[in-house]
Amino acid sequence: MTKSFSLWGAAAVLAASMLSTNAAAQVSYAPVTFKNASVHDPSVIKTGGTYYVFGSHLASAKSTDLMNWTQITDSVSATNKLFLNGSSNVYTELAETFSWAQSNTLWAPDVIRLADGKYYMYYNACKGDSPRSALGIAVSNNIEGPYVNKGIILKSGMWGQASYDGTIYDALKHPNTVDPNVFFDNGGRLWMIYGSYSGGIFIMQMNPVTGMPLPGQGYGKRLIGGNHSRIEGAYVMYSPATQYYYMFTSFGGLDAAGGYNMRVSRATSADGPYFDAQGVNMANVKADPTKPLFDDASIAPYGVKIMGNFLFERKLGELGTGIGTGYVSAGHNSAYYDAATGKHFLIFHTRFPERGEQHEIRVHQMFMNADGWPVVTPYRNTNETLAAVPRGFVFGDYMFVNHGKDISATIKKSKFITLNANGTISGAVSGTWALVGANQAEINLPGSPPFKGVFLRQWDETSQSYVMTFTATSREGVSVMGSRLPSGSDMQIVHAIYSELSLGNTNAVTGDMTLPTSAARDAVITWTSSNPRVLSNTGQVTSPSGDVTVTLTATISKGMAKAVKSFVVTVRKLGGMVAYFPFDGNLNDATGAFGAGAVIGAKIDTAGGSLGYEPGMKGSAAVFDGATGVRLPNGLISSNTYTVAMWLKPAQLTAFTTTFFGARTGDSWISLLPKGHDGVGGATMLWSGTAWYDAGLGMNIPVGQWSHVAFTVKNGAVNIYVNGAKRYSGVNFPNVFTTTSGVFALGVNWWDAPYKGSMDDLRIYGTALTDGEISSIAR
């Protein structure tokens, strides 16, 4: 018999706690915290008890536990301490390098300590749109500098001239002299592996005393790549556990849309040959010269792909908040074997789903599977130790990711599977699983050789709990990962979904609504509208002639368990004013659709603040003192078509300070800045953090006088106006407001200095006003 119920008041609160209480009862733990830093292309070295990473643009950071990082430097500048020595700085010290490479920045370096106790930095610079590069050495007595240049050791891109092997430089077969990794092999010989795109990845033997290349090698020996295949970021780690050298490389493009992914091959000698799990000699992996440049299809089948774009997607009703945990274009890694503990670590940079090009360091442990291949843990390192796993801790529901072999910007979102007690797998994929020995995992899926790896208990940042995970790879070079979900009955899962299900502020809906139809553990949500002619069962709005109240009813179903939840929605005429804040001595919405704004402190989540009023352009105006903001009601904008218009009179111009701020999350937002960043010359701008959209106006609104500023967005087309005149027009503006629960504020955000000045007559429309309509309200 199907169970159906409705939850209200205290019953809803009780029900919502059931799933999380059940999960918490399974394990007790202390919360784990991290401190993040940003270093692109991090190369690791440990000295004393501290790990250092050095990366592109002369960024660096350090950590004692591979969890909490302290940023040391962050850009190439005359004040960067790594090369600051009296009157000498990186520009003077490496002047020859910058001149040859026709660049003002540096790419991925590597630092190693040689027998003399000094630290040798292998630096490099590249023009960027061609492989005209220089690679050199700088030396320091202290790992944090200052480094003193010892000169360039390799160059590339000498068009029409002889290269280091005596032949005319050819970018299809000769290397781009960037991205070095210098390491000792098991016999004490020193090597440098380097290269990026162009002719591939090369290796040279080095003098272990001077750090310089041994003579007579030319560019060295090619190990992988060529014909401009997108393979770069090579790094070699020797593992005493398997007695193999592992060559890590990144395939694809490094930006958020580039499909960057990490792959590994192995050899019994430092200089190769390196083979993948299918037995392919990686020296044969290169782009097809008959195809266009950067042909990924030629190289995608090869190497063991250990991680690509993925998301352990948090579904409605699961523990935690946000979209879940995952990475975008993770890569250009280094690796470290800790002889004292026998642990292997993977250190890389990564971008994140819905966070554009923002990147941070991540460290994951690796374990060697039964076939001697590294498998990467699903979650970041907490210095956990592989231990015996009781079989009863393994079976249950999992988020499952198959990384495949493709090179793609697509984020592989987790699928719902169950590892059943009888050893079968059901759900999105079918097959069998086994716990071999104390902690070894074997996953068998149809049409694939066995995936071998480990079961490991890890900290999940989304649920803020320890969970069972598995990571495994097959002899086809494909990796899979799983993260166990807390146990719970169908009824408990439906309760949790019911509690979280929300449509945000539904007092003034003018555009189509996004109605969730799936939730935790493949639960289904179906919707029924009381007036489908105005608001359909799928959330489509047909504009009425006036306000219409509609009831949307959600039915949540999982197995035999059901719950029903209703929402009252006011649908307003499309194109009408959604909200109007005239600031006439208060923060009320004059349309009555939304509640009043609230005075807050210097950040969105900070209490306090003191707002004043003065004569404005239309009645009174709100006065912001530089330490105060206004929290507006949630859901003011809930579609990809809208207009925001307001009068502004800044008392000062401060870079990054917002006036109107709206966000779906802390990583997906829009911000109207009287003074923007250096990338737009400090001009007034509309900024978005979803994909770092910079709409600079080429001018600043003046201090001490009123300016009318408005912007319209219509399905990615954006226009910005000052005093009724269009100052900017663009396309592909991010769709930030995909829900009705967006956060909005005036004068403050979560990060920057508050606004100082006055505001008046804030109007928000559910349509993109025309040029003439903007002009009429700017009077």
Side-chain angles (χ1 to χ4, degrees):
M1 180 177 179
T2 299
K3 297 180 180 179
S4 179
F5 55 86
S6 294
L7 304 175
W8 303 100
V13 176
L14 174 62
S17 70
M18 294 176 69
L19 182 61
S20 55
T21 299
N22 176 273
Q26 298 181 52
V27 63
S28 59
Y29 51 83
V32 178
T33 58
F34 303 89
K35 183 179 178 183
N36 299 319
S38 295
V39 176
H40 211 267
D41 313 322
S43 181
V44 68
I45 175 176
K46 186 180 183 183
T47 182
T50 301
Y51 299 89
Y52 286 83
V53 289
F54 296 89
S56 288
H57 314 300
L58 215 56
S60 59
K62 61 184 176 181
S63 172
T64 57
D65 60 5
L66 294 175
M67 295 169 58
N68 296 279
W69 292 92
T70 299
Q71 195 88 34
I72 304 171
T73 57
D74 59 12
S75 65
V76 175
S77 71
T79 59
N80 189 302
K81 63 181 270 185
L82 294 178
F83 279 87
L84 189 60
N85 187 12
S87 60
S88 178
N89 59 54
V90 65
Y91 294 120
T92 56
E93 197 72 17
L94 304 185
E96 182 186 5
T97 297
F98 290 126
S99 176
W100 173 264
Q102 300 172 29
S103 172
N104 61 1
T105 193
L106 297 170
W107 283 19
D110 192 35
V111 175
I112 189 170
R113 195 176 193 183
L114 297 184
D116 59 5
K118 296 182 179 181
Y119 297 91
Y120 287 67
M121 176 185 285
Y122 291 77
Y123 62 82
N124 59 104
C126 179
K127 185 178 179 183
D129 60 357
S130 79
R132 186 174 177 88
S133 303
L135 192 161
I137 302 174
V139 181
S140 175
N141 293 321
N142 188 309
I143 193 168
E144 296 190 25
Y147 285 83
V148 177
N149 187 28
K150 296 300 181 184
I152 295 171
I153 60 174
L154 288 176
K155 292 180 180 178
S156 59
M158 56 285 287
W159 309 115
Q161 300 176 28
S163 67
Y164 287 81
D165 66 2
T167 64
I168 298 300
Y169 182 81
D170 181 352
L172 291 174
K173 66 179 184 180
H174 289 132
N176 185 9
T177 56
V178 294
D179 299 354
N181 164 228
V182 182
F183 65 97
F184 285 100
D185 69 12
N186 199 35
R189 292 174 296 180
L190 187 66
W191 301 89
M192 181 177 74
I193 189 172
Y194 70 99
S196 171
Y197 290 33
S198 301
I201 305 297
F202 285 63
I203 192 167
M204 302 178 69
Q205 191 170 355
M206 313 295 280
N207 185 320
V209 176
T210 65
M212 296 288 182
L214 294 180
Q217 298 181 85
Y219 277 121
K221 174 183 177 183
R222 188 180 63 85
L223 296 178
I224 181 176
N227 298 330
H228 295 299
S229 53
R230 299 204 299 175
I231 303 173
E232 64 180 19
Y235 197 94
V236 174
M237 178 195 71
Y238 177 75
S239 173
T242 63
Q243 298 183 337
Y244 280 111
Y245 294 90
Y246 294 92
M247 178 176 67
F248 297 89
T249 51
S250 293
F251 283 33
L254 62 85
D255 62 359
Y260 224 35
N261 62 95
M262 291 178 283
R263 305 200 180 203
V264 67
S265 53
R266 70 188 185 190
T268 54
S269 299
D271 61 342
Y274 284 83
F275 296 89
D276 69 7
Q278 301 173 89
V280 173
N281 184 340
M282 300 305 283
N284 297 323
V285 177
K286 62 180 69 174
D288 185 339
T290 67
K291 299 290 180 66
L293 291 179
F294 316 132
D295 173 52
D296 288 338
S298 301
I299 61 174
Y302 307 110
V304 175
K305 184 180 176 184
I306 55 176
M307 185 183 290
N309 292 358
F310 78 98
L311 174 65
F312 281 126
E313 187 177 21
R314 178 189 170 273
K315 293 294 190 73
L316 189 69
E318 296 289 4
L319 296 181
T321 59
I323 63 172
T325 299
Y327 299 146
V328 170
S329 289
H332 203 127
N333 68 279
S334 53
Y336 183 79
Y337 172 76
D338 188 332
T341 62
K343 292 181 177 180
H344 304 79
F345 297 96
L346 188 74
I347 301 96
F348 55 96
H349 74 251
T350 184
R351 289 156 176 80
F352 304 90
E354 298 190 358
R355 288 171 61 178
E357 299 299 335
Q358 180 186 5
H359 59 85
E360 292 173 350
I361 304 164
R362 286 295 181 269
V363 180
H364 286 227
Q365 276 204 64
M366 295 183 291
F367 296 94
M368 297 298 166
N369 74 0
D371 294 329
W373 288 102
V375 293
V376 181
T377 56
Y379 294 117
R380 63 197 297 188
N381 168 62
T382 59
N383 295 307
E384 57 270 89
T385 298
L386 200 61
V389 176
R391 192 172 185 276
F393 284 15
V394 173
F395 52 78
D397 296 336
Y398 282 78
M399 295 180 286
F400 173 77
V401 170
N402 185 327
H403 288 277
K405 290 294 284 286
D406 57 322
I407 301 172
S408 169
T410 300
I411 298 172
K412 297 184 186 302
K413 294 184 178 180
S414 57
K415 298 180 178 180
F416 175 62
I417 67 169
T418 302
L419 302 191
N420 300 299
N422 65 1
T424 62
I425 301 174
S426 57
V429 299
S430 60
T432 62
W433 69 274
L435 172 63
V436 181
N439 45 45
Q440 299 295 293
E442 187 169 309
I443 307 294
N444 293 282
L445 304 178
S448 173
F451 293 86
K452 297 180 182 180
V454 299
F455 289 107
L456 176 71
R457 185 169 171 262
Q458 282 201 283
W459 177 257
D460 172 14
E461 288 185 86
T462 296
S463 68
Q464 289 288 289
S465 64
Y466 283 101
V467 299
M468 183 56 63
T469 70
F470 65 80
T471 176
T473 206
S474 76
R475 290 183 179 177
E476 291 181 338
V478 177
S479 297
V480 296
M481 294 174 175
S483 175
R484 191 174 184 269
L485 296 162
S487 60
S489 68
D490 287 353
M491 189 73 74
Q492 290 171 327
I493 292 165
V494 167
H495 284 174
I497 297 167
Y498 179 99
S499 177
E500 188 180 352
L501 181 61
S502 172
L503 296 180
N505 191 316
T506 57
N507 291 332
V509 172
T510 59
D512 293 345
M513 301 182 67
T514 301
L515 303 179
T517 57
S518 63
R521 321 297 173 92
D522 285 347
V524 175
I525 306 173
T526 57
W527 295 87
T528 304
S529 170
S530 66
N531 190 344
R533 289 178 299 177
V534 174
L535 179 58
S536 75
N537 296 337
T538 58
Q540 291 180 306
V541 169
T542 301
S543 181
S545 57
D547 291 0
V548 175
T549 299
V550 180
T551 299
L552 280 177
T553 301
T555 301
I556 307 162
S557 305
K558 178 164 173 57
M560 302 299 287
K562 284 190 177 181
V564 176
K565 191 170 186 177
S566 296
F567 301 87
V568 177
V569 181
T570 300
V571 182
R572 309 192 75 180
K573 181 180 179 181
L574 184 65
M577 190 184 296
V578 174
Y580 175 38
F581 296 89
F583 303 120
D584 287 339
N586 57 56
L587 297 176
N588 293 339
D589 169 23
T591 72
F594 290 88
V599 177
I600 55 176
K603 299 288 186 292
I604 285 178
D605 52 5
T606 301
S610 177
L611 194 73
Y613 295 91
E614 68 176 13
M617 289 297 295
K618 298 180 181 293
S620 296
V623 180
F624 295 74
D625 61 4
T628 297
V630 169
R631 182 75 154 79
L632 296 173
N634 287 357
L636 290 174
I637 304 171
S638 57
S639 75
N640 199 25
T641 300
Y642 53 91
T643 296
V644 176
M646 61 197 306
W647 287 93
L648 296 172
K649 186 176 72 172
Q652 62 187 35
L653 297 181
T654 307
F656 303 107
T657 290
T658 188
T659 54
F660 181 88
F661 181 81
R664 180 173 74 246
T665 68
D667 303 310
S668 183
W669 44 263
I670 65 170
S671 187
L672 180 62
L673 312 180
K675 181 178 181 179
H677 54 60
D678 290 342
V680 296
T684 297
M685 71 182 296
L686 180 64
W687 197 20
S688 176
T690 302
W692 299 115
Y693 196 102
D694 300 337
L697 305 191
M699 51 82 70
N700 289 102
I701 60 172
V703 172
Q705 70 183 65
W706 286 104
S707 298
H708 188 268
V709 182
F711 59 92
T712 67
V713 176
K714 184 176 183 180
N715 298 321
V718 58
N719 294 296
I720 309 172
Y721 305 80
V722 176
N723 295 326
K726 187 183 294 184
R727 292 284 186 169
Y728 180 91
S729 184
V731 295
N732 298 321
F733 193 75
N735 182 10
V736 171
F737 304 111
T738 58
T739 73
T740 54
S741 56
V743 173
F744 296 87
L746 299 176
V748 296
N749 54 31
W750 285 294
W751 315 284
D752 301 304
Y755 173 73
K756 186 173 185 179
S758 303
M759 298 186 194
D760 197 7
D761 207 52
L762 169 64
R763 301 172 183 233
I764 299 172
Y765 297 83
T767 189
L769 298 186
T770 65
D771 294 353
E773 289 169 329
I774 293 292
S775 179
S776 68
I777 63 173
R779 298 170 184 166

